Amino acid sequence: MQLKNSFSRIMTVLNDKRHPLWVFLQQFAVRGLLGVKFLLIARLLNPKEIGLISIALISLTLVEALTEIGIMQAIVQSEKKIKYSSIIWTLQFLRGCGITVFLLLINPLLIKIFHEPSAAHILFLIALVPFIKNMISINYYYELREKNFKDVSLIFCLSSLIDLISSIILVAIFRDPVYAIISIIVSETIKTLLTHIVFGWSIVLDFRFKLIKEVTSYGRWIWGNSISSFFVNQFDKIIASNFLGTSSLGLYQMSQKMTQLLVADISFAAGQYLFPQFSYLYRDKEESRNLNS
């Protein structure tokens, strides 16, 4: 009887798309698989090659922070459901195109900043990632708004697993850090496609940006937070690369990923769950207030 009740409770949790278990599963699976990926790749590549991968990821993080417009946060937190999803998707898509073009243009500058000419081809490849990421279905953000953590978690876990498997296989065969970036491109492409398949196709161009002022105005606060987060979490890697070299950066990146694997993940997972939850409670409170008035 006790076993039956336990099984019943487990099935209840698994069938509940809003249960926090899915958020923590997503975060620990994604970050855990990423940690395993770097740990295994470090056995196949030398520290300098790991450093080249780090340079590409840092460069991508920097440009994404500089162009953060807070679309997800605006959709999730808005009191009323934001319409015009096609316009929002267009804005997001243009951001992705802009980041890709910008990364390609500043490729020589990044090489000078990191003092690493051999990073040119990896920086070229990583520039394709934001173009793919920003084609994600806008309906994905609306699913977060409705706290559909289960489907989101499954998509992210699957794409992370594909990233791990493809990167290990390709790097083991070719012994080249470029294939670690190619695996990211493959997994992001699959993730983007899955969001459209599961949540609904939303690739429609619509340039009437005046109709979504609430989204664009909200983004400036997110932009400021993204910039500060970048300097807190990533700027030390730029300093390490300049003063210690690419090989030391690779070792520094690996040690940091391993030491922060659980500490950072718990707080981030909690934030991933609590933000939609608090936003939902806020909207519910505002709706009740409007009805009473």
Side-chain angles (χ1 to χ4, degrees):
M1 186 66 180
Q2 186 176 1
L3 181 61
K4 184 179 179 179
N5 290 336
S6 299
F7 180 76
S8 177
R9 283 195 292 267
I10 292 173
M11 292 305 299
T12 300
V13 170
L14 293 179
N15 290 325
D16 183 4
K17 66 179 183 179
R18 295 184 172 188
H19 199 280
L21 168 71
W22 296 109
V23 180
F24 284 88
L25 175 64
Q26 173 189 331
Q27 183 60 17
F28 283 108
V30 170
R31 300 285 293 184
L33 291 174
L34 181 64
V36 172
K37 168 187 170 179
F38 271 92
L39 188 62
L40 294 177
I41 286 178
R43 303 284 295 178
L44 300 170
L45 302 174
N46 60 50
K48 182 177 180 179
E49 290 170 327
I50 296 296
L52 292 175
I53 297 172
S54 299
I55 287 173
L57 296 177
I58 293 167
S59 301
L60 177 60
T61 303
L62 170 61
V63 180
E64 286 187 330
L66 290 172
T67 59
E68 179 58 64
I69 53 179
I71 289 177
M72 182 274 286
Q73 292 85 350
I75 291 176
V76 172
Q77 194 172 25
S78 176
E79 180 182 342
K80 296 181 180 179
K81 185 176 181 179
I82 299 175
K83 301 179 181 179
Y84 310 112
S85 58
S86 60
I87 306 176
I88 300 175
W89 185 88
T90 303
L91 178 63
Q92 174 185 263
F93 175 67
L94 292 177
R95 175 183 178 246
C97 293
I99 295 174
T100 294
V101 172
F102 186 66
L103 278 171
L104 292 174
L105 291 176
I106 66 169
N107 194 314
L109 177 60
L110 292 171
I111 290 172
K112 289 183 179 180
I113 291 174
F114 290 100
H115 305 293
E116 190 54 70
S118 57
H121 58 300
I122 287 186
L123 288 171
F124 176 82
L125 278 175
I126 202 69
L128 299 176
V129 173
F131 174 75
I132 297 168
K133 284 176 65 175
N134 284 275
M135 291 181 68
I136 196 170
S137 174
I138 283 298
N139 295 323
Y140 154 69
Y141 300 129
Y142 289 107
E143 292 296 323
L144 283 181
R145 175 184 172 88
E146 299 302 323
K147 301 187 294 181
N148 183 4
F149 301 127
K150 179 179 179 179
D151 291 340
V152 171
S153 173
L154 293 175
I155 290 174
F156 274 72
C157 289
L158 177 60
S159 62
S160 296
L161 183 61
I162 292 170
D163 179 30
L164 170 65
I165 295 173
S166 60
S167 62
I168 297 305
I169 292 174
L170 291 173
V171 172
I173 294 173
F174 298 102
R175 299 296 174 119
D176 193 322
V178 165
Y179 291 95
I181 305 301
I182 290 176
S183 69
I184 296 175
I185 294 173
V186 171
S187 66
E188 288 296 336
T189 301
I190 292 172
K191 183 194 297 180
T192 296
L193 288 174
L194 284 174
T195 60
H196 287 283
I197 293 170
V198 176
F199 302 133
W201 199 260
S202 65
I203 298 181
V204 179
L205 292 175
D206 193 336
F207 299 95
R208 298 174 296 163
F209 297 126
K210 289 184 179 180
L211 298 177
I212 55 168
K213 287 183 179 180
E214 55 190 314
V215 175
T216 53
S217 61
Y218 186 88
R220 59 189 174 186
W221 303 108
I222 305 301
W223 178 80
N225 179 67
S226 297
I227 297 297
S228 61
S229 295
F230 172 81
F231 280 100
V232 170
N233 298 316
Q234 303 294 335
F235 193 70
D236 58 327
K237 299 181 181 68
I238 298 177
I239 300 299
S241 175
N242 275 268
F243 285 95
L244 302 176
T246 306
S247 297
S248 296
L249 173 62
L251 294 171
Y252 181 76
Q253 176 82 335
M254 281 301 303
S255 62
Q256 190 177 62
K257 279 189 176 296
M258 293 302 106
T259 55
Q260 293 183 351
L261 194 57
L262 289 177
V263 177
D265 291 349
I266 294 174
S267 59
F268 189 83
Q272 289 287 92
Y273 171 73
L274 291 175
F275 177 62
Q277 187 73 16
F278 286 150
S279 297
Y280 180 84
L281 293 174
Y282 166 75
R283 294 195 306 270
D284 186 59
K285 182 179 179 181
E286 290 298 312
E287 289 175 2
S288 299
R289 182 182 300 173
N290 293 333
L291 288 174
N292 293 331
S293 61

